[in-house]
Amino acid sequence: METASSRQIVIMGLCYVFSATLVTWPGQILRLARQDAWIGVPTCALIMLGVLWVVNRTLHAHPGKDLLTLFVEKYGWLGKCLVGAYVLLLTLDMGKDLRLGTDFVNVVFLPRTPSILIATLIAATCVFMVRGGIEIVGRMAELYIPLFIVVALCAGLLLIPDLSWQYMQPFFEKGMIRPMVGVWYALTPIGNIMILPLMFSNQHFTFRQSCMAILISCGLLEFVLIICQLNLSSTLAGHLMYPAYEAVREIRLTDFLDRFDLPIVGLWLPTIVIKIGINLYVICTALQRIWPSLEARTVVPAVGAWIVVFGFWLFHTSVEVVSVNDAWPVLVIFWWIMIPVFACVGLLILARVQQSRLRRPS
């Protein structure tokens, strides 16, 4: 499948971090971390920047290869098991996003339409998009993500007169417990940035691009989180299913434009489709790494159909998705932080050992 440009990689990275996160995540983190929730986002950003630096050093030592390829080539059958585990992880994440996006569209736009029909249309869009290659996914991200960010920022600015800064106080009321809870929940979206080194080699993915993606996405997450907190209060936002959507519904520009939430949600929907498409692309690419004779494009429709069945079988409602998100940071710590760091350190050690053997005189 074709490659994407550097700008498209950055945009896809920040889309993968914040697209599905904007729906239910602010309510989850505000429910438990309360007024100290904002600390979690910059803390997790620093942690992931350190992980990305290690990964970038590894990719630089093995030019032209992504992490999936390195796992299979350097670790043999163990690497294929790791790649298979990432397929299962991304399948679960894709099922969560599909169920969450389907229920959100069902509630906001199409309350009388069967959920399975909405999910099938979303999955079909992702299948056609991924069959065209990662370049098509990048072009869609390049088209919709900047427009959505601009509109979302304008919506947040319109809410400034209604913000109450007293909802940010008192700081550290429960000591470091609530900030640590904020870090725990912030790991879920920010850890997703590790999808980029799984997709791209050092020829297209650099540490500078990863820094730009994570800083922009974290800035947007922090902006949405603070707007929800100062507009709705952490107590109220923590009991809402879609706090960001409820905050946007407070905007009333004129008597004739009293549903400003509709264009924002209309622009948000392509972002969740793009994220699901990225997951679908990585899953098919990972399957090709495990079985080299397999052509990635041929399995895209089958994987897309499987995700629809899997998502509806595992998650009956989006409430169950929220419950899973409470424990999701455990998987993020293990699969997006520990495994890449340990695997990359091992690859760097192997590369230095091989270099020392080549330099050793015969």
Side-chain angles (χ1 to χ4, degrees):
M1 297 186 184
E2 295 82 1
T3 58
S5 65
S6 299
R7 181 176 62 255
Q8 291 172 347
I9 291 175
V10 173
I11 296 175
M12 283 190 289
L14 62 94
C15 171
Y16 198 84
V17 170
F18 74 76
S19 59
T21 307
L22 298 181
V23 182
T24 60
W25 175 79
Q28 288 182 277
I29 190 173
L30 289 173
R31 184 176 70 250
L32 297 176
R34 297 298 180 93
Q35 63 269 16
D36 296 324
W38 61 273
I39 300 176
V41 175
T43 304
C44 291
L46 294 176
I47 295 173
M48 294 313 302
L49 283 176
V51 177
L52 286 169
W53 180 80
V54 175
V55 173
N56 183 73
R57 290 289 302 271
T58 304
L59 295 179
H60 185 72
H62 302 84
K65 298 178 181 179
D66 54 58
L67 276 185
L68 294 177
T69 304
L70 289 176
F71 288 165
V72 174
E73 290 185 356
K74 301 299 181 180
Y75 291 115
W77 65 268
L78 179 60
K80 290 187 177 182
C81 291
L82 284 177
V83 174
Y86 276 107
V87 169
L88 296 177
L89 177 67
L90 294 176
T91 300
L92 181 59
D93 186 49
M94 190 174 172
K96 288 194 315 100
D97 293 339
L98 184 62
R99 185 70 218 197
L100 190 65
T102 300
D103 280 9
F104 187 77
V105 172
N106 195 289
V107 170
V108 177
F109 285 128
L110 307 171
R112 297 185 179 181
T113 304
S115 298
I116 188 65
L117 179 59
I118 299 174
T120 303
L121 292 175
I122 293 176
T125 304
C126 296
V127 167
F128 286 112
M129 182 171 58
V130 174
R131 280 180 63 87
I134 192 60
E135 186 180 0
I136 302 300
V137 181
R139 288 178 179 177
M140 285 194 63
E142 202 173 20
L143 175 64
Y144 286 104
I145 303 303
L147 185 59
F148 171 75
I149 291 177
V150 171
V151 175
L153 291 177
C154 293
L157 295 177
L158 291 173
L159 287 171
I160 288 180
D162 299 327
L163 303 184
S164 298
W165 295 96
Q166 60 182 354
Y167 292 144
M168 291 285 291
Q169 300 173 353
F171 297 110
F172 305 106
E173 183 181 12
K174 300 292 183 179
M176 295 301 297
I177 297 178
R178 286 179 176 173
M180 294 303 296
V181 171
V183 172
W184 174 263
Y185 279 96
L187 278 173
T188 297
I190 300 176
N192 288 334
I193 196 67
M194 286 300 298
I195 197 71
L196 291 180
L198 294 181
M199 300 167 58
F200 303 106
S201 64
N202 71 316
Q203 295 178 350
H204 306 96
F205 170 74
T206 63
F207 183 65
R208 178 175 176 270
Q209 294 170 353
S210 59
C211 289
M212 292 177 60
I214 198 169
L215 291 178
I216 296 174
S217 58
C218 288
L220 184 61
L221 286 179
E222 191 79 349
F223 178 77
V224 173
L225 183 64
I226 292 178
I227 289 295
C228 291
Q229 182 175 0
L230 298 183
N231 182 259
L232 301 173
S233 81
S234 57
T235 304
L236 178 59
H239 289 82
L240 295 175
M241 185 67 178
Y242 309 122
Y245 172 70
E246 297 297 336
V248 172
R249 289 187 64 183
E250 299 295 324
I251 299 176
R252 298 291 187 272
L253 295 182
T254 65
D255 294 337
F256 299 99
L257 189 56
D258 58 348
R259 290 302 303 272
F260 193 71
D261 56 303
L262 293 180
I264 295 181
V265 175
L267 289 173
W268 170 84
L269 185 57
T271 67
I272 191 68
V273 173
I274 292 169
K275 186 190 176 185
I276 296 174
I278 293 173
N279 271 335
L280 183 59
Y281 171 82
V282 177
I283 289 174
C284 296
T285 304
L287 292 175
Q288 189 179 33
R289 297 292 187 273
I290 299 175
W291 295 286
S293 59
L294 186 69
E295 187 177 353
R297 281 198 178 109
T298 60
V299 299
V300 171
V303 175
W306 156 247
I307 293 301
V308 175
V309 176
F310 178 76
F312 275 77
W313 170 76
L314 190 61
F315 304 107
H316 295 88
T317 64
S318 56
V319 177
E320 297 181 3
V321 175
V322 175
S323 300
V324 171
N325 286 340
D326 290 332
W328 194 260
V330 176
L331 298 178
V332 173
I333 292 173
F334 187 76
W335 291 107
W336 290 138
I337 297 179
M338 294 178 61
I339 293 297
V341 169
F342 290 150
C344 289
V345 170
L347 291 173
L348 289 174
I349 294 174
L350 289 175
R352 291 188 178 182
V353 169
Q354 292 177 356
Q355 290 178 0
S356 63
R357 288 180 179 177
L358 292 175
R359 293 174 182 175
R360 187 178 302 171
S362 57

